[in-house]
Amino acid sequence: MLYRPKADTIRRRWQNNSHICFFTKPESNLCWVKCTKRIACNKQLHDLQHGQEGMLVWVLFLLCQGVAPALTQDLCQRDAPNGYKVRISLKTALGEDAYEWNQSEMFFFRATMAFAMRRHFQMETYNVDNIILCVQTSRVSFWFVVTSPDNATMLIPKADVEKAVRMARHRINNAFLLSDRTLEFLGIHPTLAAPVNPDTPPWLIVFGVVIGAVCAGIIALLVSSLLQKRRKEKGMTEDGQDEEDMQVKGVENGINLDGTYNRGFTDDDRFTKL
Amino acid sequence: MGKDAARAEWDNPMQFVLACVSYAVGLGNVWRFPYLCQMHGGGGFLIPYLLMLVLLGVPLFYMELAIGQKMRLGSIGAWRAISPYLGGVGLASVVTSMYLCLYYNVINAWSFWYLFHSFQSVLPWAECPVNSNLTGHVEECERATPTQYFFYRETLDISGSIEENGGIHMGQALCLLLAWMIVYLFIVKGVKSTGKVVYFTATFPYLVLIIYLIRGVTLHGAINGVKYMFTPKMEQLANPTTWINAATQIFFSLGLGFGSLIAFASYNQYNNNFEKQAIVVSMVNSSTSIFASIVTFSIYGFKATFNYESCLERVRLLLLNTFDLAEDTISLENVNHWIAELNRTHPEQFASLGGRLETCDLEAELDTAVEGTGLAFIVYSEAIKNMPVSQLWSVLYFIMLLLLGMGSMLGNVIAVITPLSDLKFISRYMSTKTLNGLVCLFCLLLGLGFTTRSGNYWFTMFNDYGATFSLLFIVLIEVITVCYIYGIKRFEKDVEDMLGHRLNWYWKIMLAGVSPILLITLFIFYIVNYIQGGTPTYQAWNKELGKSVVTEYPPYAQAFIGLLLASSVCCIPLTALYTYCKKRNLASGKRERTVSTVSA
């Protein structure tokens, strides 16, 4: 929950063992109050708004001036040992339909991550407050860390977070209408889709069809020519005289089967007959 | 005349023209001509190309058709009839055609492989496959590109060098079997079946090319490629290599010297007007080359623009992520402006980017000129995978490649079968169907060697050396034989007999003068180039680096290259020697007999 109290009503930074309130690193001169538990936050805010515990405004003002609260520095920072960097490319994924990345979306992200953690560790109840985001840029990239629901100062190790993210990756992507490529968790490589191995490779099927057709064509041609030859033979034996005449004609022509009679040589007596 | 009546014929002259077109318009028009255009100054290359067509291509084409139509025999019989001592020219043609048959159908096998793999929701060469523990992609694929990985690893399963042999790739073997079965189906009944098939194989590629032209020029960035190609760089004309390459391209593109044209023409009617047909087919072949290169360059332009914009996108993301700026601050247009800006404002952070910052250059992307199988199977598939509805375009493209390849294959196989079936001892014992089947089976079994793991290296060797040098030699001997040994006068008389009018001055000058000179120049150039080139080398795929490295051929491979060259070239002198010896024996035998009768 984020509240934006009026600057003059902020009295001090309030700290307690179980409920921590702190200021995020401000993008501008505004200070944001974040609480891990709603009830406490309400009480706190109420206290703050009604100035029950007074403190000098200028101390808070200094704190708001960009000195990141010490606690958030410990937990969520750039290159945090147990944190991951997330990069989102909305315009690449959605083009014209890209929604604006604002605080509501950030909240949604935290809720999705809490869901992913709950799904993986089924016994423990993670909440939105357990997901801490920081180092936001206009690229839309940020770092996040996950704190344990039992102890808010303890971070969940990187490996567990990775497992949770891997398991729920598909759901996380779909929640944001993004894909593995446009919602990147740097350091967690997406599992590639297993190749589909059909029983018969598809090319073999097409090959079978084509070779079957060609075989059929060859057999058809051979059979048809065989039938034609048989029909001709039957016709020939009926008038056998024609066959003999044809053979005689062949001999009479006296064609030299070793070559062909080339009329080009007839008028020329320069070249001797070979 | 009994023998002539028994010879098969084309149903009509159109079938013959389409057969020649189908044979001449092949894969070289699609993957060699655009490369040459790019290397030798774009639009300016058309000048030497068209000049060589007129001086070299059309006259030699005409000559081969004339010989085939006159002699009505395949290349062995035809050359023996022209000059018995030079019957070896025909034999050399058959040997060269046989080499071509062996390795050319492997390209068709690859086209089939890619075609069958296009029937999937995601094209297999679009993405790298994931590795066994699902953490990332296969390493080799990461280092190279997915299309290269698919070609070298999944299609060929290529080994590291020509020495490392491996087993046969079953998928390739099956596709090769299919390719040979289809060739057999097309030629099983001789020209009767071939004549019907060429209606389809000659015309359908044009349909696909037109569809691709429309798709190509409407692609984003295609205009960059077309502009790049057609911008003439006239200074390239001063380079003699440009002219040599133009002549070589015309020569090989028309398929001269293989004996296919002689074989096709031998099935013609005696009085067929082959003069007009020769000009038509040559023109069609060259225009197809130019047309195909427009398509190729629009696709090049698309691919280069796509890669350039991907590069810019990666740089943009890198800058956004490193400096944590909002997404809409840097757009693709002002990436370079921002690089300068960020370098000025945050120099240390900028320096930490180091080597990760790529330089994106559209010209450099367009300059990557590729030819041959690399263009057809790697560059084109990369461009196709980025098109919308890529499966459809992939299927269309590989069907086109198949038709072009099959059309040329028909010519190659007929060049081998026609002379064999003309030989008396074969035609007496075997029908055409059995002969065709045996030739196809023989080529299939030997061609399986190209489907092994090192098969691609042998393929490249055959492609580079099997038919280049020997063809030049064969055609040179052909021209000299026809013009000087047979005599241009006799040739003129033959043509007059067939066509009804004499050779005009253009044909006479080109055939007797210009073409032989050009051929001798080409021949000398090849020899000089070969000697100067040192040890022959090849590109071996290195799986650790993910790219090809230049490797020298081992000694036995070099010996094999020598054998390839020698086996076809030596046919000519050896046959001449054999004929000479036979005639001498015959002559001396006659003399002996006359002596004995006198003494008796």
Side-chain angles (χ1 to χ4, degrees):
Chain A
M1 255 184 344
L2 299 160
Y3 289 88
R4 189 170 146 188
K6 300 192 211 79
D8 56 354
T9 63
I10 297 172
R11 293 297 177 219
R12 69 163 198 179
R13 192 167 142 231
W14 187 76
Q15 189 170 330
N16 177 303
N17 274 342
S18 60
H19 314 301
I20 303 165
C21 289
F22 48 84
F23 301 105
T24 54
K25 193 166 171 181
E27 298 295 314
S28 64
N29 285 342
L30 301 165
C31 290
W32 301 78
V33 173
K34 252 183 179 177
C35 305
T36 51
K37 283 240 162 139
R38 193 199 296 204
I39 306 161
C41 184
N42 271 340
K43 177 180 183 309
Q44 201 179 311
L45 210 58
H46 185 262
D47 288 344
L48 285 172
Q49 279 176 338
H50 291 79
Q52 277 185 2
E53 280 148 305
M55 194 54 178
L56 290 169
V57 175
W58 65 269
V59 172
L60 299 165
F61 190 68
L62 267 176
L63 287 168
C64 288
Q65 281 309 310
V67 176
L71 213 57
T72 49
Q73 260 189 325
D74 292 340
L75 290 173
C76 177
Q77 50 183 318
R78 186 190 287 273
D79 298 323
N82 280 319
Y84 277 105
K85 181 170 182 183
V86 176
R87 189 186 292 145
I88 294 180
S89 316
L90 284 169
K91 299 231 169 33
T92 316
L94 304 165
E96 297 274 311
D97 302 327
Y99 46 82
E100 193 202 330
W101 190 261
N102 51 27
Q103 293 300 324
S104 317
E105 304 291 341
M106 295 291 274
F107 176 79
F108 190 22
F109 182 81
R110 293 166 69 208
T112 320
M113 282 310 300
F115 160 75
M117 295 303 291
R118 278 201 192 201
R119 216 172 157 212
H120 182 58
F121 298 101
Q122 273 148 3
M123 298 308 288
E124 310 179 24
T125 48
Y126 284 85
N127 224 322
V128 179
D129 314 323
N130 294 117
I131 316 293
I132 308 169
L133 309 183
C134 56
V135 197
Q136 268 198 81
T137 64
S138 52
R139 169 71 178 81
V140 191
S141 69
F142 48 84
W143 285 82
F144 77 95
V145 291
V146 183
T147 58
S148 161
D150 304 317
N151 183 356
T153 46
M154 200 180 76
L155 292 181
I156 305 291
K158 214 167 170 172
D160 293 331
V161 176
E162 178 173 343
K163 278 195 217 128
V165 168
R166 270 193 199 275
M167 238 180 72
R169 189 65 186 264
H170 186 63
R171 301 290 298 270
I172 302 174
N173 286 347
N174 278 345
F176 290 94
L177 309 174
L178 297 172
S179 68
D180 279 346
R181 213 173 45 92
T182 41
L183 170 58
E184 298 167 76
F185 287 84
L186 298 192
I188 303 179
H189 296 294
T191 317
L192 298 163
V196 179
N197 272 333
D199 295 325
T200 340
W203 77 268
L204 212 50
I205 300 173
V206 189
F207 170 80
V209 168
V210 176
I211 205 168
V214 172
C215 278
I218 292 178
I219 292 174
L221 275 179
L222 289 177
V223 164
S224 76
S225 61
L226 204 69
L227 286 175
Q228 241 178 4
K229 209 166 54 167
R230 257 198 223 136
R231 234 178 280 141
K232 222 196 293 178
E233 272 172 19
K234 240 191 269 179
M236 292 281 259
T237 47
E238 278 165 18
D239 25 43
Q241 285 294 313
D242 292 331
E243 211 180 317
E244 280 184 45
D245 282 337
M246 275 174 63
Q247 277 193 344
V248 165
K249 253 193 225 150
V251 167
E252 261 186 23
N253 265 342
I255 293 175
N256 179 12
L257 291 172
D258 269 343
T260 189
Y261 183 66
N262 189 343
R263 264 182 284 162
F265 286 104
T266 36
D267 312 332
D268 208 309
D269 21 31
R270 271 196 300 140
F271 276 72
T272 49
K273 268 236 174 69
L274 293 156
Chain B
M1 286 180 273
K3 190 152 169 76
D4 284 356
R7 192 175 187 77
E9 277 186 359
W10 300 107
D11 286 338
N12 51 53
M14 189 53 148
Q15 281 186 359
F16 167 65
V17 173
L18 286 179
C20 288
V21 166
S22 174
Y23 170 64
V25 173
L27 295 168
N29 300 65
V30 170
W31 74 31
R32 175 93 177 135
F33 181 78
Y35 168 76
L36 287 177
C37 234
Q38 189 176 12
M39 294 301 292
H40 296 294
F45 183 71
L46 289 177
I47 297 175
Y49 182 74
L50 292 173
L51 202 60
M52 288 298 168
L53 175 70
V54 167
L55 294 179
L56 191 66
V58 179
L60 291 175
F61 198 83
Y62 177 92
M63 182 188 79
E64 291 220 357
L65 291 189
I67 292 169
Q69 192 167 306
K70 168 75 189 159
M71 302 305 168
R72 316 205 78 206
L73 285 173
S75 47
I76 299 182
W79 289 105
R80 227 191 297 179
I82 288 181
S83 164
Y85 285 125
L86 288 172
V89 172
L91 196 59
S93 292
V94 171
V95 170
T96 316
S97 283
M98 176 64 86
Y99 291 152
L100 194 69
C101 281
L102 285 179
Y103 80 81
Y104 202 82
N105 229 4
V106 177
I107 305 175
N108 289 333
W110 295 339
S111 301
F112 271 121
W113 173 266
Y114 270 81
L115 175 67
F116 297 150
H117 276 83
S118 307
F119 290 96
Q120 287 175 23
S121 53
V122 176
L123 292 177
W125 56 86
E127 295 169 343
C128 278
V130 285
N131 61 16
S132 41
N133 33 4
L134 301 183
T135 49
H137 298 294
V138 173
E139 270 185 30
E140 190 181 348
C141 190
E142 291 276 323
R143 287 187 219 113
T145 63
T147 39
Q148 281 180 321
Y149 177 78
F150 184 77
F151 184 64
Y152 287 114
R153 189 53 48 212
E154 301 205 14
T155 310
L156 300 175
D157 196 12
I158 206 165
S159 62
S161 74
I162 201 170
E163 288 135 12
E164 300 162 29
N165 291 317
I168 294 181
H169 187 296
M170 279 322 289
Q172 288 301 308
L174 287 175
C175 291
L176 187 65
L177 172 68
L178 176 64
W180 275 112
M181 280 176 70
I182 292 186
V183 170
Y184 181 63
L185 177 68
F186 288 168
I187 59 165
V188 67
K189 277 188 156 181
V191 274
K192 289 297 169 208
S193 51
T194 312
K196 298 200 177 39
V197 161
V198 290
Y199 280 117
F200 184 66
T201 60
T203 51
F204 195 75
Y206 286 99
L207 181 66
V208 179
L209 271 176
I210 291 175
I211 296 175
Y212 250 95
L213 179 71
I214 299 172
R215 167 76 275 199
V217 296
T218 52
L219 284 171
H220 168 63
I223 199 72
N224 293 335
V226 178
K227 227 190 313 177
Y228 182 80
M229 173 193 151
F230 279 112
T231 321
K233 300 182 196 60
M234 286 303 191
E235 60 275 6
Q236 280 287 334
L237 288 184
N239 181 4
T241 321
T242 309
W243 297 86
I244 301 281
N245 280 340
T248 318
Q249 174 62 13
I250 284 285
F251 187 82
F252 291 125
S253 179
L254 286 173
L256 304 166
F258 285 105
S260 313
L261 298 169
I262 297 181
F264 280 150
S266 69
Y267 297 112
N268 270 343
Q269 300 265 351
Y270 189 69
N271 295 102
N272 178 47
N273 185 0
F274 63 89
E275 182 174 354
K276 201 166 55 149
Q277 291 166 343
I279 298 175
V280 163
V281 172
S282 315
M283 294 300 169
V284 166
N285 182 47
S286 297
S287 356
T288 311
S289 290
I290 299 173
F291 184 51
S293 59
I294 299 178
V295 177
T296 304
F297 272 91
S298 56
I299 293 187
Y300 259 158
F302 166 69
K303 182 181 97 73
T305 311
F306 186 86
N307 285 348
Y308 173 66
E309 289 182 353
S310 304
C311 175
L312 282 181
E313 177 68 25
R314 284 193 300 272
V315 170
R316 170 180 165 267
L317 264 181
L318 183 67
L319 290 176
L320 283 179
N321 292 346
T322 318
F323 294 94
D324 281 323
L325 305 161
E327 273 181 285
D328 41 8
T329 42
I330 309 183
S331 70
L332 285 182
E333 286 84 42
N334 50 22
V335 167
N336 292 317
H337 162 77
W338 270 98
I339 291 178
E341 179 76 24
L342 288 168
N343 197 3
R344 196 172 50 83
T345 48
H346 302 83
E348 344 67 45
Q349 215 175 349
F350 194 84
S352 73
L353 281 176
R356 288 185 293 156
L357 191 69
E358 310 168 53
T359 38
C360 302
D361 185 3
L362 185 61
E363 281 284 319
E365 291 281 345
L366 283 170
D367 266 337
T368 52
V370 191
E371 60 160 336
T373 53
L375 171 63
F377 295 104
I378 298 178
V379 171
Y380 256 97
S381 6
E382 200 175 307
I384 287 172
K385 80 172 197 238
N386 296 325
M387 294 183 194
V389 200
S390 45
Q391 290 85 355
L392 169 70
W393 299 110
S394 178
V395 166
L396 263 182
Y397 172 68
F398 287 111
I399 287 181
M400 179 187 77
L401 276 194
L402 269 173
L403 286 171
L404 291 174
M406 279 299 173
S408 303
M409 229 10 236
L410 285 180
N412 296 334
V413 171
I414 287 181
V416 172
I417 285 177
T418 307
L420 286 181
S421 61
D422 290 335
L423 290 177
K424 180 173 54 112
F425 60 87
I426 289 184
S427 60
R428 211 190 302 165
Y429 297 120
M430 266 190 256
S431 68
T432 33
K433 291 185 201 48
T434 325
L435 175 67
N436 294 353
L438 282 178
V439 170
C440 289
L441 186 65
F442 177 70
C443 290
L444 168 66
L445 291 175
L446 285 187
L448 283 177
F450 294 109
T451 59
T452 59
R453 293 195 59 203
S454 56
N456 191 44
Y457 300 129
W458 291 99
F459 168 86
T460 316
M461 182 200 288
F462 268 75
N463 193 23
D464 290 340
Y465 299 105
T468 44
F469 180 80
S470 5
L471 271 185
L472 276 175
F473 185 67
I474 289 171
V475 177
L476 182 61
I477 303 287
E478 279 185 10
V479 169
I480 293 177
T481 309
V482 168
C483 294
Y484 299 107
I485 300 181
Y486 186 66
I488 193 88
K489 283 206 174 35
R490 246 183 258 149
F491 184 67
E492 239 181 311
K493 231 186 294 177
D494 288 339
V495 169
E496 195 184 26
D497 200 36
M498 287 191 283
L499 292 181
H501 60 263
R502 301 190 73 101
L503 279 179
N504 67 24
W505 57 268
Y506 163 72
W507 301 113
K508 277 195 270 205
I509 295 176
M510 292 304 153
L511 278 177
V514 178
S515 301
I517 295 174
L518 278 176
L519 281 173
I520 291 175
T521 324
L522 271 186
F523 192 70
I524 294 174
F525 171 80
Y526 256 84
I527 297 180
V528 165
N529 215 25
Y530 187 73
I531 296 174
Q532 274 187 344
T535 333
T537 58
Y538 67 102
Q539 302 269 4
W541 177 256
N542 186 325
K543 67 191 281 193
E544 277 84 43
L545 294 176
K547 57 190 217 8
S548 302
V549 287
V550 176
T551 324
E552 277 188 5
Y553 277 116
Y556 69 86
Q558 291 180 37
F560 192 80
I561 293 176
L563 187 66
L564 270 181
L565 292 172
S567 57
S568 43
V569 166
C570 283
C571 288
I572 302 176
L574 285 178
T575 318
L577 199 64
Y578 170 75
T579 319
Y580 176 71
C581 290
K582 203 166 78 163
K583 297 306 172 192
R584 250 201 14 192
N585 282 346
L586 214 67
S588 63
K590 266 201 197 131
R591 241 181 291 126
E592 269 179 29
R593 263 185 275 132
T594 46
V595 167
S596 56
T597 41
V598 164
S599 63

